[in-house]
Amino acid sequence: MTPKLFFKTFAIAETITWTLLIIGMILKYTHITEIGVRIGGGIHGFVFICFVIAVLGVGTSQMWSKKRIATGLASAIIPYATIPFERSVERTGALEGGWGLGANGRTPRNWFEKLTSWAIRSPFLAIGVGIIFVIIIFSGLLFLGPPGEWGK
């Protein structure tokens, strides 16, 4: 899988899950049902974490600036902003080519680049570890409850 396809997949998924969450919120606040927020919010939260990992991994591998990575991360917070961000990085060529830290790529310079390189070179193992990592984060967030109830 190319960095372009990998990143596009999560950018689109993030947009789709925003739609699920917004529909759920409409149903909740029109007093129809709260189940849409529970389902849509859960799915959106999971994909949000995956998108953050995609931004960090692709951005690190493809040598994006810290500003571009921060903009990518911020795009997940604003509904539907991942699509314009994805189009902008595609338009500038930041998603072109193979993985910068892949088998034929550059030598990793720090621990995060080494981790990213390992994930690119061992994708199935990385996916397994990634799923466990996302489940741990997601479970912690579920334990904390909705953001409005944190610290209460």
Side-chain angles (χ1 to χ4, degrees), residues 3 57-64 93-101 106 120:
V58 171
T60 299
S61 178
Q62 305 312 98
M63 296 184 71
W64 292 358
L95 294 173
E96 294 304 317
W99 291 96
L101 290 170
R106 69 183 191 285
I120 292 166

Side-chain angles (χ1 to χ4, degrees), residues 31-53:
H31 305 289
I32 295 172
T33 182
E34 289 192 24
I35 194 75
V37 171
R38 293 177 191 266
I39 294 170
I43 294 169
H44 174 69
F46 184 81
V47 172
F48 173 86
I49 294 167
C50 292
F51 180 78
V52 166
I53 292 168

Side-chain angles (χ1 to χ4, degrees), residues 56-127:
L56 294 173
V58 171
T60 299
S61 178
Q62 305 312 98
M63 296 184 71
W64 292 358
S65 68
K66 289 178 182 166
K67 181 180 177 184
R68 178 173 275 166
I69 290 173
T71 303
L73 295 173
S75 76
I77 297 168
I78 303 164
Y80 306 110
T82 57
I83 296 301
F85 177 76
E86 179 271 325
R87 288 191 178 149
S88 75
V89 292
E90 183 177 21
R91 189 173 45 254
T92 61
L95 294 173
E96 294 304 317
W99 291 96
L101 290 170
N104 297 320
R106 69 183 191 285
T107 302
R109 299 174 299 196
N110 57 47
W111 71 269
F112 195 76
E113 284 192 358
K114 287 178 184 174
L115 176 65
T116 303
S117 178
W118 168 80
I120 292 166
R121 295 168 195 228
S122 306
F124 294 111
L125 184 57
I127 288 168

